[in-house]
């Protein structure tokens, strides 16, 4: 036991630090009120821009609503136990998304790694320490996935030491399943390219007694996707927090079976000695993710959709009056399911390439980023615009097309 005397001895053993701390005139540094507001973008020369492209990681994803920033700020000023925040927030989130359990992860990618790691090890702490060296404890080591669903993000799965076994048909699945099969993974965004659809995938998993997972990282809207795949019976589901949900860009959700989430958490901080220690998510982000999700679910989605349509129509109607321009609004059925405007031009009339046009808009003031296209077309979305920015985008596009027509 620590006696009072020993405690005092210990405290006085760090006089230098204590001395420095108390000698800083902390309150006088900001004498006369609030410190001047610093514009760090300006100070460091970091370009900001109007985002008419979409929720892209290299453009820092999405912007958080004030309620989310308020949740982050207000929780930043107290200590608490990391596990307790995950317990309490996880319970709330699980209810919102119809899952048995949920945990806030550092993105959808880490959700895939952690969910699979949990399946491989269960709550056996010795096994937890051995991932990704699966052979040591005879852990399972294969993940079955449709060929068209095996994209770059499956690296999240192979990080556990598992390899991907590609299949195309239900017969292929039957042949591929063996005692090493840990998981059957599905990718929603490519579901139109695979032969096997969601329900059949889940049914096959149940038939062969193999857990199933789905990556829906970029797949709200529609909001119902948040619970659709939990209701369908996938054993775990991952989604990005920092895309259309507009939570912290570094956050995501892992939702699913209670035993899988509990095991996944053994691979997460505050615990070390696991593959997930580097996938830390702090309490502010966890609270922020919860508030972002709650706000996203409760918002008026029809009203928001109508606003996107109005804004995209404004841009469309500004540019399609120009000679040589054709426009088309489409809604991608999978991934970034939001009104998207394609502007195409006749290069014999308008002498500009998509690269030149995007470069001019990027270098203009204010800077604007558009989505990619072809040599004579660009795509743009309005769901990441702030109110009024649709007018700036429309005007700037018209200016550039007019200039290139001369
Ligand atoms: C964005 C994305 C990911 C990665 O999500 P993070 O939240 O950035 O980790 C994984 N899969 C798909 C299909 C994605 O679009």
């Amino acid at each position: 036991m620590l006696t009072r005397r020993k405690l005092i001895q210990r405290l006085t053993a760090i006089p230098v630090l204590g001395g420095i701390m108390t000698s800083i005139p902390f309150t006088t540094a900001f004498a006369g009120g609030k410190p001047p507001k610093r514009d760090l973008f300006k100070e460091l020369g970091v370009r900001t821009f109007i985002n008419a492209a979409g929720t892209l990681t290299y453009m820092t994803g999405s912007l958080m609503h004030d309620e989310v920033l308020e949740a982050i700020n207000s929780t930043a000023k107290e200590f608490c136990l990391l596990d307790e925040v995950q317990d309490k927030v996880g319970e709330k989130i699980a209810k919102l998304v119809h899952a048995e359990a949920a945990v806030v992860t550092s993105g959808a990618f880490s959700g895939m790694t952690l969910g699979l790691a949990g399946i491989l090890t269960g709550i056996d702490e010795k096994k937890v320490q051995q991932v990704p060296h699966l052979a040591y404890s005879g852990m399972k080591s294969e993940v079955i996935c449709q060929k068209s669903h095996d994209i770059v993000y499956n690296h999240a799965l192979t990080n556990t030491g598992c390899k991907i076994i590609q299949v195309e048909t239900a017969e292929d699945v039957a042949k591929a399943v063996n005692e090493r099969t840990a998981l059957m993974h599905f990718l929603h965004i490519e579901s139109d390219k695979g032969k096997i659809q969601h329900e059949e995938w889940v049914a096959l998993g149940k038939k062969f007694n193999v857990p199933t997972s789905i990556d829906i990282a970029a797949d709200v809207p529609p909001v119902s996707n948040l619970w659709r795949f939990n209701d369908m019976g996938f054993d775990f589901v991952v989604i990005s927090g920092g895309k259309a949900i507009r939570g912290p860009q570094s956050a995501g959700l892992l939702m699913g079976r209670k035993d899988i989430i509990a095991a996944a958490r053994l691979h997460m901080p505050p615990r070390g000695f696991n593959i997930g220690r580097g996938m830390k998510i702090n309490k502010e982000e966890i609270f922020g993710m919860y508030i972002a999700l709650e706000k996203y679910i409760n918002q008026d989605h029809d009203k928001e959709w109508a606003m996107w349509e109005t804004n995209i129509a404004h841009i469309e109607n500004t540019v399609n009056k120009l000679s040589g321009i054709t426009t088309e609004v489409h809604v991608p059925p999978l991934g970034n399911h939001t009104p998207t405007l394609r502007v195409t031009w006749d290069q014999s009339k308008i002498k500009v390439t998509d690269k030149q046009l995007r470069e001019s808009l990027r270098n203009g003031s204010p800077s604007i980023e558009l989505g990619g296209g072809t040599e004579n077309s660009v795509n743009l979305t309005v769901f990441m615009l702030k109110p009024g920015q649709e007018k700036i985008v429309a005007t700037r596009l018209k200016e550039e097309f007019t200039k290139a027509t001369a």
Side-chain angles (χ1 to χ4, degrees):
M1 222 191 84
L2 201 60
T3 63
R4 188 182 152 72
R5 212 170 75 88
K6 276 193 190 139
L7 183 67
I8 290 167
Q9 276 171 357
R10 282 191 194 179
L11 287 174
T12 51
I14 44 166
V16 179
L17 187 61
I20 289 173
M21 301 271 280
T22 51
S23 71
I24 291 176
F26 199 72
T27 47
T28 56
F30 299 144
K34 283 187 178 172
K37 219 173 171 184
R38 289 172 69 172
D39 183 340
L40 292 172
F41 290 115
K42 274 223 174 81
E43 207 174 303
L44 277 71
V46 175
R47 177 176 63 98
T48 59
F49 51 82
I50 292 174
N51 179 0
T55 56
L56 300 163
T57 297
Y58 83 100
M59 293 186 189
T60 62
S62 60
L63 300 180
M64 292 178 276
H65 286 292
D66 287 342
E67 293 91 325
V68 178
L69 292 170
E70 170 58 24
I72 289 172
N73 279 328
S74 66
T75 55
K77 293 169 186 172
E78 297 292 344
F79 288 99
C80 62
L81 296 178
L82 184 56
D83 273 333
E84 194 180 349
V85 192
Q86 287 285 33
D87 286 345
K88 303 271 163 68
V89 168
E91 237 171 77
K92 292 279 189 191
I93 290 179
K95 280 211 181 74
L96 290 172
V97 298
H98 308 186
E100 271 180 31
V103 64
V104 178
T105 59
S106 53
F109 191 95
S110 79
M112 286 165 66
T113 304
L114 296 165
L116 174 55
I119 287 171
L120 294 171
T121 63
I123 54 167
D124 181 336
E125 299 207 10
K126 200 164 145 253
K127 286 183 180 171
V128 170
Q129 295 188 12
Q130 284 170 345
V131 175
H133 307 288
L134 306 178
Y136 284 156
S137 299
M139 283 180 264
K140 295 180 193 294
S141 57
E142 292 179 4
V143 175
I144 295 173
C145 178
Q146 293 184 76
K147 198 172 169 190
S148 53
H149 293 203
D150 192 14
I151 59 160
V152 289
Y153 293 116
N154 277 359
H155 210 113
L157 301 172
T158 56
N159 277 351
T160 62
C162 282
K163 66 175 178 187
I164 305 284
I165 308 295
Q166 291 186 349
V167 296
E168 289 185 81
T169 63
E171 293 76 61
D172 290 348
V173 174
K175 271 188 230 146
V177 171
N178 64 62
E179 71 285 352
R180 292 180 302 277
T181 310
L183 180 69
M184 286 172 53
H185 183 68
F186 195 96
L187 177 64
H188 182 63
I189 204 170
E190 298 291 353
S191 52
D192 57 339
K193 297 210 183 74
K195 290 202 173 74
I196 308 171
Q197 290 304 301
H198 310 77
E199 285 91 348
E200 190 184 358
W201 194 254
V202 171
L204 285 167
K206 296 221 186 325
K207 179 175 170 190
F208 297 116
N209 203 20
V210 175
T212 48
S213 60
I214 183 168
D215 172 0
I216 59 162
D219 294 304
V220 291
V223 63
S224 55
N225 275 353
L226 280 168
W227 43 85
R228 178 178 165 207
F229 305 104
N230 290 312
D231 290 342
M232 206 181 273
F234 278 94
D235 295 286
F236 78 76
V237 179
V238 298
I239 190 164
S240 295
K243 290 178 181 165
I245 301 173
R246 298 177 64 171
Q249 169 62 13
S250 47
L253 299 177
L254 168 62
M255 331 167 237
R257 249 169 53 193
K258 210 170 196 145
D259 60 321
I260 295 178
I261 305 302
R265 285 186 56 187
L266 296 183
H267 295 267
M268 296 180 71
R271 286 153 290 279
F273 224 119
N274 53 38
I275 52 162
R277 176 65 202 212
M279 306 172 193
K280 197 190 288 187
I281 180 110
N282 61 37
K283 67 171 184 292
E284 296 86 352
E285 292 170 308
I286 298 169
F287 281 117
M289 187 64 235
Y290 167 49
I291 295 305
L293 182 72
E294 192 186 62
K295 182 177 169 62
Y296 181 70
I297 290 174
N298 293 329
Q299 78 190 33
D300 186 337
H301 295 274
D302 292 338
K303 194 171 146 199
E304 185 174 55
W305 192 277
M307 182 187 76
W308 292 340
E309 285 189 328
T310 305
N311 290 348
I312 218 146
H314 173 77
I315 300 173
E316 180 174 33
N317 294 331
T318 306
V319 295
N320 69 7
K321 297 205 175 60
L322 303 169
S323 166
I325 296 275
T326 47
T327 54
E328 181 219 352
V329 177
H330 64 285
V331 179
L334 295 164
N336 290 318
H337 178 74
T338 170
T340 304
L341 176 66
R342 181 178 300 129
V343 183
T344 308
W345 57 94
D346 177 350
Q347 281 188 312
S348 68
K349 288 184 180 161
I350 302 175
K351 305 234 175 286
V352 71
T353 66
D354 70 313
K355 282 205 181 74
Q356 288 165 342
L357 174 70
R358 282 191 283 136
E359 194 62 19
S360 299
L361 290 169
R362 184 173 295 138
N363 293 334
S365 181
S367 180
I368 297 170
E369 289 285 350
L370 301 180
T374 60
E375 173 92 17
N376 68 327
S377 75
V378 286
N379 284 291
L380 60 93
T381 63
V382 294
F383 75 137
M384 288 295 117
L385 296 185
K386 297 186 210 173
Q389 288 184 334
E390 73 283 356
K391 300 220 166 53
I392 303 173
V393 174
T395 305
R396 285 290 296 122
L397 269 174
K398 188 178 169 187
E399 276 173 12
E400 289 301 325
F401 283 132
T402 308
K403 208 159 64 183
T405 305

